[in-house]
Amino acid sequence: GYLPYRQVSIEAPAQDEVLWNIEGQLDVTVSVDPPLQAGHQLQLYLDGEPVATLDPGSNQTPLSGVFRGAHTLEAAVLDQEGRSLRRSEPLRFSVRQTSLQNPVNPLIPPAPQPLPQPLPRP
């Protein structure tokens, strides 16, 4: 038998992180507790589709083809038969890119202005 996995979690990117100008390349780091056992593998899912398997002994992998928009990322430990033993919580992140034609992105609110100071009371 094998030890049950207590936790699979994605360390990077961070939950709700906004990534700028990554050119479609994203480095993903996953943590597994207890560590991955022989014969098991870590599979990554981007927007529900399997996109990468981590090399044995590695806890990170580059993903390519991650383009602008909102995405979800999940990691799962698979056994020798490809069954999912433990799956991470879905992690949401978004990718944006600055446009050369329009450097001011209308989707991003302007920085908040400092509030006017109340007048001192007499």
Side-chain angles (χ1 to χ4, degrees), residues 28 30 42-46 49-52 54 61 63 73-75:
V28 179
V30 181
L42 271 171
Q43 171 83 56
L44 289 178
Y45 298 87
L46 179 68
E49 295 294 318
V51 286
L54 276 69
T61 189
L63 286 186
L73 193 59
E74 288 171 88

Side-chain angles (χ1 to χ4, degrees), residues 8-14 28-31 44 73-75 88-91:
V8 178
S9 59
I10 295 170
E11 303 285 319
V28 179
T29 306
V30 181
S31 83
L44 289 178
L73 193 59
E74 288 171 88
S88 71
E89 292 292 314
L91 176 122

Side-chain angles (χ1 to χ4, degrees), residues 1-115:
Y2 59 85
L3 292 167
Y5 291 98
R6 288 188 291 271
Q7 188 173 8
V8 178
S9 59
I10 295 170
E11 303 285 319
Q15 183 71 270
D16 297 319
E17 187 170 355
V18 176
L19 302 159
W20 284 92
N21 300 328
I22 60 171
E23 316 273 308
Q25 299 288 331
L26 174 66
D27 284 321
V28 179
T29 306
V30 181
S31 83
V32 183
D33 178 34
L36 205 61
Q37 292 155 60
H40 295 171
Q41 60 181 7
L42 271 171
Q43 171 83 56
L44 289 178
Y45 298 87
L46 179 68
D47 303 329
E49 295 294 318
V51 286
T53 307
L54 276 69
D55 294 328
S58 169
N59 71 333
Q60 63 190 124
T61 189
L63 286 186
S64 55
V66 184
F67 295 111
R68 57 193 298 179
H71 299 283
T72 57
L73 193 59
E74 288 171 88
V77 175
L78 306 182
D79 68 8
Q80 288 90 334
E81 281 78 51
R83 288 188 298 250
S84 175
L85 300 176
R86 190 73 198 243
R87 200 162 171 139
S88 71
E89 292 292 314
L91 176 122
R92 292 179 307 280
F93 69 96
S94 16
V95 175
R96 299 196 177 148
Q97 55 198 53
T98 41
S99 149
L100 297 176
Q101 296 82 19
N102 178 13
V104 178
N105 191 326
L107 298 175
I108 298 170
Q113 296 301 312
L115 294 171

